[in-house]
Amino acid sequence: MINADLNDRDWGYHKSIVKKCVAPWHSLTINWTGDVFADAIAKLQYGNLYDKTLSELWKSPVAVNLRESWSKGKPFSDVCLSCIKKEKTVGTSRRDYFYRNISPDLLKKVTYQVDAEPDIWYLEINSSNKCNLKCRMCSGDVSSSWIKEEKQLNDVRPEWMPARSEGKYHRVDFNAVKNILEKKQYFENLEFLKFAGGEPLMEDQNYQIMEQFIEWDIAKNIVLDINTNGTVLNERLLNIAKNFKQLKLHISLEGTGKLYQYIRGGDNFTIEQLEQSILEFNKLPNTQLIYTVTVQIYNIYDIVNIWEWYKKIRKPDNEIFFHNVVVYPRYLNIHILPASMRKPAYEKLVEADLPTGDTFLPGDKLGQGDPGFASLIKNLNADHNFMERKQRKKYLREFVHFTNSLDQIRNTSIKNIVPNLQPLFEEANDMKTQENWSVAFEEKFRR
C-alpha cells in the first residue's frame, strides 16, 4: 500500500538532495559469507564481519571512498554500477527507493559528512541459503534443497545445457553478526529490518537478531520486512511480531492449483497449505501481506488465475505485484517462446480486463501500487532486441531439456500441468530420433 505520509513529504526538499544517496551513511546489507555492503546491489563490500566490527568496517577504504564521492553528489562507480545502469535505462534506482521510504524527518537530518558515525536506518540480512522448497527458477546458491538435484542435472546435461555447479549449505553465525550489532547507538534510528534467503524464517540466527532489537527497546520503531515462501509459521515468530511497529511479509507465489506445486518443487507443500498459512499470518498484529509473482514460461498462462485467487483471499491492505520477470536463467525468460505460443497468454490477459493504471491510491478498490499488468501485456506482445534469434533458439532448446530432465528427477510432467506448452515438448521428443534434431527443432520453432 502507498505510504500515507507520501502526501506529507516536502518534495521541494527531496528534489534539492536527489543528486546524493543516503545508503553510504544509513544502510547496510549482510550476506551469508559475512561480507558487508552499503546495499544489496552494491558491487564492492566494506569487508567481512567475521574479522571486523561495524566501527572498523565503517573506516574501510571502500566505505570512506563511497562517502567521499556521494558527499560531492557523485556515485562511486566501482560500487554504484547497478544503480547507474538502472537510472539510465528506467529512470529510477535503489537510491530513489530510500528517499521514498525513509521518513521525511530522518531524511532532513542527513549531513553527508565523510567522517560521520554509523547511523543505520535500513539493515538487510541474507543470512543463509537454507530453504525447504526447490523452485524451478532457483538454484543451490539460494536454496539448500536444490543442491542434490543440481548434481543430478550435471550428470545428464548435454554440452549446450547451462552449467549447474553443485552448491552447499552456508550461513552466517549470530556470533559474527554481533560484530555489526556492536553498539546500540548505531541502530537507534533504524526504521527497516529486512530478511531474505533462502527461507529466512527457517534460520535461528534471524530470530536472535530480531530479539536483539526487542531487548534494546528499538523494535517498536522498526518495520520488520521478510521475504518468505509462506511455509513457516511458529510461536516464536508470533511472539516476536507483536513487538515491532509493523510486519511486512513478501510471500512468493508463482501459480495456482497443481502449477504451484510444480514450480515450487513437488508435493511437499500445496497451495491449500499456503492458504492455511495465510489465514494464520493475517491474525498477526500490524501485519501486511505482499504477494510477489515471478513471471516465467511456466506461469504465463496462469496469471489471470493468480489474480482471481488473490482477489478471493486478500485483505484490504494486501498487495500483489507481477513486475518481476525472470531474466536468469535465460531458458525461463518468456521472450524465448515463439510469438505463436506467447499469443494465447497475451490474449487471455487482454480479455480479462485487468487493472493497468499507474497507481491505485489508498481508498480505491485495490488500494495498492501498479500490479504490473500493463508492462506484462506489452512484453508478451513484443519481440525484444536484447536477445538475438539464435540465442532465443538456444535457450528454447535448453528450456525443453531442463524441463524434461527435472521432470524425470522429480517424477512430474509438464504436459499435465501446462497444456499450452505440450506442442513444444511433443515436437522436441519426435525430433530426438533425427540425426540432428536440434537443427530441426530450430526450424520448427523459427518464431
Side-chain angles (χ1 to χ4, degrees):
M1 181 174 291
I2 297 174
N3 294 330
D5 67 352
L6 282 182
N7 293 329
D8 300 326
R9 290 179 183 269
D10 182 349
W11 289 107
Y13 176 79
H14 171 86
K15 292 176 181 178
S16 72
I17 59 173
V18 76
K19 290 184 178 180
K20 296 183 180 180
C21 178
V22 302
W25 285 267
H26 302 291
S27 169
L28 287 177
T29 290
I30 302 168
N31 68 20
W32 47 64
T33 66
D35 287 336
V36 180
F37 300 80
D39 185 63
I41 60 174
K43 293 299 183 182
L44 292 179
Q45 69 267 34
Y46 291 167
N48 193 280
L49 54 77
Y50 277 98
D51 51 35
K52 286 184 173 61
T53 65
L54 176 53
S55 298
E56 294 169 326
L57 292 165
W58 203 251
K59 297 175 183 177
S60 70
V62 172
V64 172
N65 288 338
L66 184 62
R67 292 196 298 274
E68 283 181 344
S69 292
W70 277 115
S71 69
K72 302 170 185 176
K74 298 179 180 179
F76 181 28
S77 58
D78 290 347
V79 174
C80 307
L81 185 62
S82 293
C83 270
I84 294 171
K85 286 184 175 179
K86 193 167 184 181
E87 289 183 7
K88 286 181 178 179
T89 55
V90 298
T92 187
S93 69
R94 187 72 169 173
R95 181 168 60 126
D96 184 60
Y97 167 86
F98 289 109
Y99 284 115
R100 295 191 65 84
N101 287 274
I102 299 297
S103 67
D105 289 340
L106 274 181
L107 285 174
K108 291 185 179 182
K109 294 179 180 179
V110 185
T111 64
Y112 301 107
Q113 293 177 352
V114 177
D115 59 354
E117 288 288 299
D119 180 14
I120 308 304
W121 302 345
Y122 185 96
L123 176 62
E124 180 170 345
I125 301 170
N126 302 280
S127 65
S128 91
N129 68 332
K130 187 175 184 178
C131 188
N132 56 341
L133 300 183
K134 41 189 178 180
C135 303
R136 285 178 173 251
M137 61 285 187
C138 199
S139 68
D141 289 337
V142 284
S143 171
S144 55
S145 295
W146 245 111
I147 295 172
K148 180 181 178 180
E149 291 182 355
E150 280 194 332
K151 178 61 170 64
Q152 292 175 283
L153 284 173
N154 268 329
D155 292 339
V156 301
R157 79 182 194 277
E159 291 184 359
W160 45 262
M161 185 68 187
R164 304 185 66 81
S165 60
E166 185 177 7
K168 62 181 180 179
Y169 166 57
H170 35 226
R171 67 188 289 272
V172 63
D173 188 80
F174 179 65
N175 288 325
V177 177
K178 287 181 179 178
N179 278 335
I180 289 293
L181 306 178
E182 62 168 328
K183 295 181 181 180
K184 174 184 176 180
Q185 69 192 58
Y186 292 162
F187 297 92
E188 288 182 331
N189 290 316
L190 188 68
E191 286 199 334
F192 293 92
L193 175 59
K194 183 176 181 63
F195 291 96
E199 173 47 57
L201 294 178
M202 294 182 69
E203 283 290 7
D204 182 69
Q205 70 269 29
N206 290 337
Y207 294 98
Q208 291 177 290
I209 294 166
M210 298 178 211
E211 288 163 348
Q212 178 65 77
F213 287 106
I214 294 173
E215 181 182 328
W216 279 345
D217 196 31
I218 296 175
K220 61 188 177 184
N221 302 318
I222 299 173
V223 174
L224 184 57
D225 195 316
I226 302 176
N227 288 352
T228 176
N229 58 35
T231 67
V232 180
L233 179 64
N234 54 52
E235 198 66 31
R236 194 174 186 183
L237 177 64
L238 298 177
N239 292 329
I240 285 173
K242 62 187 179 184
N243 290 281
F244 281 80
K245 178 180 179 181
Q246 185 184 21
L247 172 62
K248 288 189 174 185
L249 294 175
H250 295 260
I251 299 176
S252 48
L253 172 76
E254 274 69 50
T256 59
K258 291 294 184 181
L259 180 62
Y260 174 85
Q261 290 171 259
Y262 182 83
I263 294 178
R264 287 286 166 185
D267 297 327
N268 58 329
F269 200 79
T270 67
I271 189 73
E272 289 78 17
Q273 289 171 291
L274 176 65
E275 290 170 358
Q276 283 300 120
S277 294
I278 288 169
L279 290 175
E280 296 301 316
F281 285 135
N282 277 324
K283 295 177 183 178
L284 295 174
N286 304 317
T287 296
Q288 180 186 19
L289 304 187
I290 303 165
Y291 301 91
T292 57
V293 181
T294 302
V295 179
Q296 56 198 277
I297 292 180
Y298 295 123
N299 65 10
I300 59 169
Y301 305 104
D302 202 51
I303 299 300
V304 175
N305 294 335
I306 295 173
W307 175 247
E308 294 300 324
W309 175 91
Y310 166 73
K311 289 195 295 182
K312 291 177 182 178
I313 202 167
R314 73 179 292 269
K315 295 294 182 180
D317 64 346
N318 288 179
E319 298 178 333
I320 189 167
F321 296 100
F322 297 81
H323 295 286
N324 185 26
V325 178
V326 168
V327 176
Y328 297 102
R330 289 287 201 195
Y331 52 82
L332 294 184
N333 184 278
I334 61 176
H335 293 117
I336 70 169
L337 279 179
S340 60
M341 300 195 77
R342 281 185 275 117
K343 185 177 179 180
Y346 164 79
E347 291 176 342
K348 190 172 182 178
L349 292 181
V350 172
E351 292 169 3
D353 192 27
L354 300 168
T356 55
D358 292 334
T359 305
F360 298 91
L361 297 174
D364 286 351
K365 184 177 180 181
L366 296 176
Q368 70 159 72
D370 173 23
F373 290 126
S375 59
L376 181 55
I377 290 171
K378 181 178 179 181
N379 278 333
L380 281 170
N381 195 41
D383 285 323
H384 289 267
N385 295 325
F386 71 87
M387 198 185 305
E388 295 178 358
R389 179 183 293 181
K390 184 178 180 180
Q391 290 177 306
R392 291 200 297 268
K393 293 175 182 176
K394 171 181 180 291
Y395 294 128
L396 189 59
R397 294 197 307 270
E398 291 176 1
F399 168 72
V400 171
H401 187 80
F402 168 79
T403 302
N404 278 334
S405 299
L406 198 55
D407 275 351
Q408 185 173 2
I409 291 170
R410 294 182 176 180
N411 193 29
T412 53
S413 173
I414 183 65
K415 299 173 188 176
N416 298 330
I417 303 296
V418 190
N420 295 78
L421 294 176
Q422 186 170 344
L424 190 65
F425 290 85
E426 288 177 346
E427 292 289 346
N429 289 333
D430 290 343
M431 291 173 186
K432 282 183 180 179
T433 60
Q434 299 185 27
E435 182 176 353
N436 191 355
W437 78 271
S438 62
V439 174
F441 186 89
E442 291 174 2
E443 290 300 318
K444 181 67 179 178
F445 295 100
R446 184 176 295 276
R447 285 282 295 165

